[in-house]
Each structure stands twice: as structure tokens, then as C-alpha cells.
Amino acid sequence: MTDTKYLLTDVDMALFLVNGYHVVELDLPAGLDEQISEKLDELTANPGDAITESVPELWQVVEHPQVRGALISLLGEDYAVNSHRHWHCKLPGSGDMQWHQDGTNDRGTTIDRLLGLYYPHAITADMGPTVIVPGTQFRNAPTDRMATYTNIRGQVPLTVPAGTFAITHYDLWHGTASNRSGVKRHMIKFLFNRTSGNSAPSWNHDPEALERERDWDARDKAQDAVNILSFGNPLGVSQSDHYKERIIRHACWQELMGNHEQQEARRF
């Protein structure tokens, strides 16, 4: 059982439903990030799913209490580590990776798969960072159309310190910038699956969290779950589109609360 201090809060959960990602800077044992980076530097071929056999120290990352706490909060206590994982090594001089979604987005209301992105060394803007677009997890776009997009308003490059673990919704739009540095950029991708539906909140839930009234003056300055879910609009979409997003967020929240029969009980 993971210590409850590592579980997410209501605000963390609301922000994830709005933005589609959560970033954790891990408190790993001294020297572990460097050890993993050195082993990755020495690899002469990509082992694919067997990356954890080539670099078994990666299990210390996946099993870290901060990672487990966030995953339990989002996927439930009995989540599974998928057998698929991949080492993304971006060599100096390599170009950008086009925008894409790993899933087939259908605006689903169940969070059942998450990506975990681990960075064993600091990532700077010239190293070809992963770039994500907050709020796109509920938006579907044909791959050939996405391939024509360049910069998107609100995109976030993951320029992060060593030991960062980013958890993203499986359908969040993402890509990479080109590597203009003189060093390899490492990232290990993991996949996590839900194995059962929630019967109750699996995070540090305050039963009074949703009792607050909506504050129309708060908007993007909201700091509580109700107003974050109501007004969060990272893409700056139109009122009609934002209304649809709010409905999906509400349904997701109700499923995570274990209220599978009450998804229409309240609108944020």
C-alpha cells in the first residue's frame, strides 16, 4: 500500500482532467539518474520492450512511491504496468517528430491508459524536448491532418530537470522538437493500464471539495477543483466547444469517484 502522502489531491486530479498531464520531479537515490543515463549511452541497439532488461535500474523509477501514488490516484490501486515500453533516443542533428496521438481518440470518459515519460538527465530547449499540447486529450484529429500542424498555441516543451517523470493521458497530442545540441536526448516511455473501475476515489479526496460555488470571476485563476473543472480552458476554445469539454470532464470525474450510475447528477 502506497503512503497516502504520495497520492494526488482533488486539485491535482482536476488539473489532470483539464490539461491531460501531471509532472513529478522524483526524489531518486543519489547517482541513479546518472547511472541510467550512462547505461543508455552505451547501448548500441534499441532493445524495445526489453529496455528494462538492459537497464534494470529503471524499475526503481517505475516503482518509486511518487510515481505509484500518482498512478494509483488516476488508475486505481490495482493498475498494471504494461509490457510495452520504449527507449526514445534523439541523436544530435535529428529532426522533429510530427504531432500525433498514441491512441484513437473518441472523446471517451474513462481514464484507462496512461503514458509515463522518464527523463534521466536534464532536458534543455535545444535537445529536442517532448512537446505536449494541454487540453487535447479529448480532441481527435486525423494523423495526416496533424502532420501539417507546426507550432500550436499553448504547447508546452518538457524542458525538465533530471529525474522527471511526466504522466500523460494516452490521447494527449505530443511530438518532439529537433535536437540542435551536441548530446543524445534520452526518454523512456512506459504504458500503464487500469484493470478495474473505481468504487470510490483512489486519491486524497476531500468530500467537501465539490461543495464550492462556481466563481465566474476566477476563470483561469481558479485554484479549487470546482472552478478548475468549470473554467479551465488551456486551448482557449469557443464557448460551445468548452461546454462539451466540461461535460466530458464531469463524466470522467464521476467515474473516478465511483459514481458510474450518477454521471449526469451534477454539471460543473
Side-chain angles (χ1 to χ4, degrees), residues 54-72:
S54 299
V55 188
E57 292 83 359
L58 288 167
W59 285 113
Q60 294 184 58
V61 176
V62 175
E63 295 169 356
H64 192 279
Q66 288 172 272
V67 173
R68 281 189 46 76
L71 292 173
I72 288 171

Side-chain angles (χ1 to χ4, degrees), residues 90-155:
K90 204 163 182 65
L91 298 173
S94 58
D96 62 284
M97 178 187 288
Q98 295 172 333
W99 297 113
H100 62 282
Q101 294 173 302
D102 280 18
T104 54
N105 189 313
D106 61 358
R107 290 198 172 210
T109 61
T110 301
I111 296 178
D112 56 8
R113 287 185 296 181
L114 297 174
L115 293 176
L117 314 177
Y118 164 61
Y119 300 89
H121 57 105
I123 306 296
T124 57
D126 63 344
M127 290 171 62
T130 307
V131 186
I132 58 177
V133 187
T136 51
Q137 68 273 18
F138 300 134
R139 298 182 166 275
N140 195 16
T143 301
D144 56 351
R145 182 187 301 172
M146 294 180 76
T148 68
Y149 300 165
T150 53
N151 290 312
I152 299 176
R153 179 181 59 188
Q155 66 188 33

Side-chain angles (χ1 to χ4, degrees), residues 88-225:
H88 287 264
C89 178
K90 204 163 182 65
L91 298 173
S94 58
D96 62 284
M97 178 187 288
Q98 295 172 333
W99 297 113
H100 62 282
Q101 294 173 302
D102 280 18
T104 54
N105 189 313
D106 61 358
R107 290 198 172 210
T109 61
T110 301
I111 296 178
D112 56 8
R113 287 185 296 181
L114 297 174
L115 293 176
L117 314 177
Y118 164 61
Y119 300 89
H121 57 105
I123 306 296
T124 57
D126 63 344
M127 290 171 62
T130 307
V131 186
I132 58 177
V133 187
T136 51
Q137 68 273 18
F138 300 134
R139 298 182 166 275
N140 195 16
T143 301
D144 56 351
R145 182 187 301 172
M146 294 180 76
T148 68
Y149 300 165
T150 53
N151 290 312
I152 299 176
R153 179 181 59 188
Q155 66 188 33
V156 175
L158 293 179
T159 50
V160 295
T164 295
F165 199 91
I167 297 171
T168 78
H169 192 289
Y170 194 65
D171 289 319
L172 192 71
W173 295 13
H174 61 283
T176 66
S178 58
N179 188 348
R180 297 174 283 104
S181 74
V183 298
K184 297 177 182 178
R185 189 226 66 171
H186 298 305
M187 183 270 281
I188 310 297
K189 181 184 77 173
F190 296 93
L191 180 59
F192 305 96
N193 298 332
R194 174 180 292 279
T195 63
S196 63
N198 279 16
S199 58
S202 55
W203 63 95
N204 281 326
H205 173 57
D206 176 1
E208 298 182 0
L210 300 184
E211 297 306 315
R212 294 187 59 147
E213 294 298 322
R214 282 192 291 178
D215 181 357
W216 292 86
D217 294 325
R219 302 288 174 149
D220 58 346
K221 300 180 179 62
Q223 297 182 12
D224 65 277

Side-chain angles (χ1 to χ4, degrees), residues 2-22:
T2 294
D3 191 323
T4 56
K5 73 179 182 181
Y6 295 112
L7 298 178
L8 301 186
T9 66
D10 290 298
V11 168
D12 294 328
M13 295 293 289
L15 287 171
F16 186 88
L17 291 184
V18 170
N19 295 315
Y21 73 101
H22 178 77

